[in-house]
Amino acid sequence: MLAFLTSVKRRFFPHPPLTHSARSELEADLGGLLADDPGAEAVIARCTQWLCLAQDKSASHDGGVARDYSLLTGWATSYPETTGYIIPTMIAMARRDDDAGLHARARRMLDWCVAIQFPEGGFQGGKIDATPRVPVTFNTGQILLGLAAGAAEYQDPRYLDAMHRAAAWLRDTQDADGCWRRFPTPFAKRGEKAYETHVSWGLFEAERIAPGHGYGAAGLRQVEWALTKQQPNGWFASNCLTDADQPLTHTIGYVLRGVLEAHLLSGRADLLQAAVRTANSLLGAIGPGGYMAGRLDRNFSPAANYACLTGSVQIAHCFFLLYRLTGEGRYLGAGRMLTAFVRRTVRLEGDDARTGGIKGSFPVNGDYGQWQYLNWAAKFCIDANLVEIELANAGSLGAGASANATANA
């Protein structure tokens, strides 16, 4: 009888009941954004503190970063994929603030990633306790970003070896046309993924650290394949975790960043032009106050009634990189609108786990990361705001200015 009642409850009540924090957060979101933009420096500081807390509070207590803090269920276990690409952000903050504690945190993340790598070089999908535990292309590419950054920063042969094994596994499991099909994630809808240009970025970083192994060439093959999915207006087919007809701005941000990184590695003008096609259409998707719908259809029209905050700051970062490459002020303005919107969703005061976190959706009950503060949302928010500050400090940058200095920010 108990088992029957449990199954009924799971079927008709799939989520735990709303907590007081969930209700109050939703009420606040429905009331609108914070009245004032707290500014980039304040948000960077708070988001960094939140990531440190997420590492300390991970339910698996292993040195990785908790996937999320849920207003319904609390802290999750560590998430290898995003811990991997949080590492470059943690290193950037450690260097910026001359903070030995942040360097130590980055090394704990690196040591954990090395410890959980499969012998063949790949990494698992999902949280550390997820099943099935199998190597996944996308997750390996994201962790590769961290391994490359760690190998460069700390000159530790363990990180360099792990980087080579991950990069070689990706290179050697790629199909002839450049797509990766053999090791998909079991936690997303099956099918080809254009946004694995973000895997290619990991290979580009490995190429910069250790040229001559074919890592960069493999990444460029995938980007060229992904561009066969790009429509004339810049929209990408096969580019979402769940709904390829209405992709998340999160995966749009992934695919765009990968194309930009391909241009930065190769200098190829056609890749920059491809990025510009997507970016120009995204400009028209930004609404009043910097709001961008969390899903966009093939015409870049809104397909959701919430903002995917992760996607907004990812796309903002791409706009900033395009501004540095082209000198076109409209990219700078669009990026600033998007980051300002996200900053006005961040709770800066208080002593609970919401403070400094970035929600999956705004309002918090949106479909993406529902009721959750996501570790990668905080990471991408820090990254975008760091570049915005650099641009402000540098003043007006001319066309063609290098984005390499902030490519891993």
Side-chain angles (χ1 to χ4, degrees):
M1 177 60 74
L2 179 59
F4 171 75
L5 292 175
T6 299
S7 67
V8 170
K9 181 178 179 181
R10 287 177 177 169
R11 179 178 179 186
F12 292 101
F13 303 97
H15 301 293
L18 292 187
T19 61
H20 171 74
S21 293
R23 289 193 298 270
S24 66
E25 196 66 30
L26 177 59
E27 182 179 348
D29 285 358
L30 294 177
L33 299 170
L34 297 176
D36 298 313
D37 178 354
E41 289 286 2
V43 168
I44 287 170
R46 279 300 198 180
C47 285
T48 302
Q49 291 169 5
W50 188 92
L51 284 177
C52 293
L53 182 66
Q55 186 180 33
D56 294 341
K57 293 292 187 179
S58 169
S60 47
H61 307 291
D62 47 22
V65 182
R67 177 192 181 276
D68 62 82
Y69 174 76
S70 168
L71 293 170
L72 306 185
T73 58
W75 288 102
T77 52
S78 296
Y79 198 22
E81 172 200 327
T82 56
T83 296
Y85 64 39
I86 286 169
I87 290 166
T89 300
M90 196 62 66
I91 291 173
M93 289 303 301
R95 296 181 70 180
R96 181 178 188 259
D97 297 344
D98 193 22
D99 190 325
L102 295 182
H103 276 301
R105 287 183 177 278
R107 296 205 67 156
R108 282 175 59 204
M109 295 177 201
L110 281 158
D111 291 344
W112 180 64
C113 288
V114 169
I116 64 173
Q117 188 174 27
F118 291 125
E120 66 269 29
F123 288 89
Q124 71 177 83
K127 294 182 291 185
I128 190 61
D129 53 347
T131 56
R133 189 169 179 268
V134 294
V136 174
T137 295
F138 186 78
N139 302 63
T140 301
Q142 308 322 294
I143 295 170
L144 180 56
L145 288 165
L147 294 173
E153 181 70 19
Y154 302 119
Q155 300 296 305
D156 189 319
R158 296 174 303 147
Y159 306 153
L160 183 63
D161 176 68
M163 182 202 80
H164 273 297
R165 290 193 292 121
W169 183 79
L170 289 169
R171 178 197 63 200
D172 296 344
T173 59
Q174 186 179 45
D175 290 349
D177 64 354
C179 184
W180 283 289
R181 299 180 179 90
R182 291 173 55 189
F183 295 96
T185 177
F187 307 109
K189 191 173 181 179
R190 295 186 69 87
E192 300 170 342
K193 305 297 184 189
Y195 63 76
E196 288 186 342
T197 58
H198 219 261
V199 175
S200 297
W201 180 20
L203 285 168
F204 301 152
E205 294 305 319
E207 177 71 22
R208 291 183 174 108
I209 299 298
H213 298 276
Y215 302 149
L220 287 170
R221 282 195 298 273
Q222 190 280 338
V223 173
E224 289 165 355
W225 171 84
L227 291 178
T228 69
K229 301 293 184 178
Q230 190 183 42
Q231 309 303 302
N233 68 347
W235 188 86
F236 282 85
S238 303
N239 192 46
C240 192
L241 299 164
T242 55
D243 186 351
D245 292 328
Q246 301 176 140
L248 289 159
T249 54
H250 174 44
T251 49
I252 295 172
Y254 272 152
V255 72
L256 178 56
R257 183 64 182 271
V259 174
L260 276 168
E261 292 296 336
H263 166 71
L264 290 171
L265 181 81
S266 67
R268 284 172 45 180
D270 62 320
L271 298 178
L272 179 58
Q273 291 164 1
V276 164
R277 280 195 295 273
T278 299
N280 286 351
S281 289
L282 284 167
L283 289 171
I286 304 172
Y291 173 83
M292 178 182 282
R295 290 184 179 274
L296 300 172
D297 68 17
R298 63 183 59 249
N299 297 311
F300 288 90
S301 298
N305 60 358
Y306 61 88
C308 170
L309 300 179
T310 306
S312 291
V313 285
Q314 287 176 271
I315 290 168
H317 197 151
C318 291
F319 280 143
F320 293 146
L321 296 184
L322 278 166
Y323 171 66
R324 301 190 98 175
L325 288 163
T326 69
E328 290 201 28
R330 56 184 177 158
Y331 297 136
L332 178 62
R336 286 175 169 168
M337 288 180 67
L338 290 169
T339 54
F341 180 94
V342 175
R343 287 195 297 265
R344 290 176 64 198
T345 72
V346 183
R347 182 187 296 264
L348 297 185
E349 303 298 329
D351 57 1
D352 65 16
R354 294 177 290 176
T355 304
I358 306 293
K359 288 168 278 200
S361 295
F362 185 87
V364 70
N365 65 335
D367 287 340
Y368 183 74
Q370 191 174 56
W371 307 113
Q372 295 171 349
Y373 294 76
L374 305 174
N375 72 18
W376 60 96
K379 171 262 187 323
F380 285 119
C381 185
I382 293 168
D383 292 352
N385 280 280
L386 283 174
V387 180
E388 184 172 354
I389 288 171
E390 289 181 10
L391 291 172
N393 290 341
S396 179
L397 297 177
S402 172
N404 287 342
T406 57
N408 285 327

